[in-house]
């Protein structure tokens, strides 16, 4: 269906961009816990979304330890909005 974005359609990626849409940025460990995935799984999804320009990742020191922060880019927000609109059209067609 037109508008569905295969990159963010996978459940874990959709959960990730949805979670990021509610905040300015989130700590990697917080996202890992929220999505209930391993570090390697989350890292793979973040990398794919960074490559697409949908999320941004930065490293810093927080509470004395290295931390990775992830945020949704404007392109990622648009992609999520368009994907959700396509899902709504799909759902409306069922009713």
């Amino acid at each position: 269906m037109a508008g569905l974005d295969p990159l963010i359609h996978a459940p874990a990626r959709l959960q990730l961009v949805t979670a990021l849409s509610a905040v300015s940025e989130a700590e990697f460990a917080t996202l890992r816990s929220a999505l209930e995935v391993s570090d390697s799984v989350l890292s793979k999804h973040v990398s794919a979304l960074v490559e697409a320009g949908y999320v941004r990742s930065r490293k810093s020191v927080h509470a004395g330890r290295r931390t990775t922060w992830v945020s949704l880019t404007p392109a990622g927000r648009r992609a999520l909005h368009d994907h959700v609109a396509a899902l709504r059209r799909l759902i409306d067609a069922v009713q």
Side-chain angles (χ1 to χ4, degrees):
M1 171 170 236
L4 289 177
D5 187 326
L7 185 63
I8 61 173
H9 190 69
R13 288 187 189 162
L14 186 55
Q15 286 178 292
L16 175 57
V17 295
T18 300
L20 290 173
S21 72
V23 297
S24 58
E25 65 181 352
E27 189 178 7
F28 186 92
T30 301
L31 291 169
R32 182 192 61 225
S33 295
L35 273 61
E36 299 179 340
V37 296
S38 67
D39 284 355
S40 62
V41 168
L42 181 56
S43 181
K44 185 176 180 179
H45 288 310
V46 168
S47 294
L49 293 167
V50 164
E51 188 175 314
Y54 288 178
V55 302
R56 188 174 299 117
S57 175
R58 70 176 180 87
K59 298 200 183 294
S60 70
V61 177
H62 179 71
R65 61 183 175 84
R66 271 185 70 139
T67 303
T68 299
W69 294 89
V70 183
S71 59
L72 199 58
T73 65
R77 284 190 190 282
R78 279 190 305 278
L80 176 60
H81 179 269
D82 293 346
H83 187 78
V84 169
L87 287 171
R88 286 187 176 129
R89 287 191 302 275
L90 187 60
I91 290 166
D92 288 344
V94 172
Q95 297 175 358

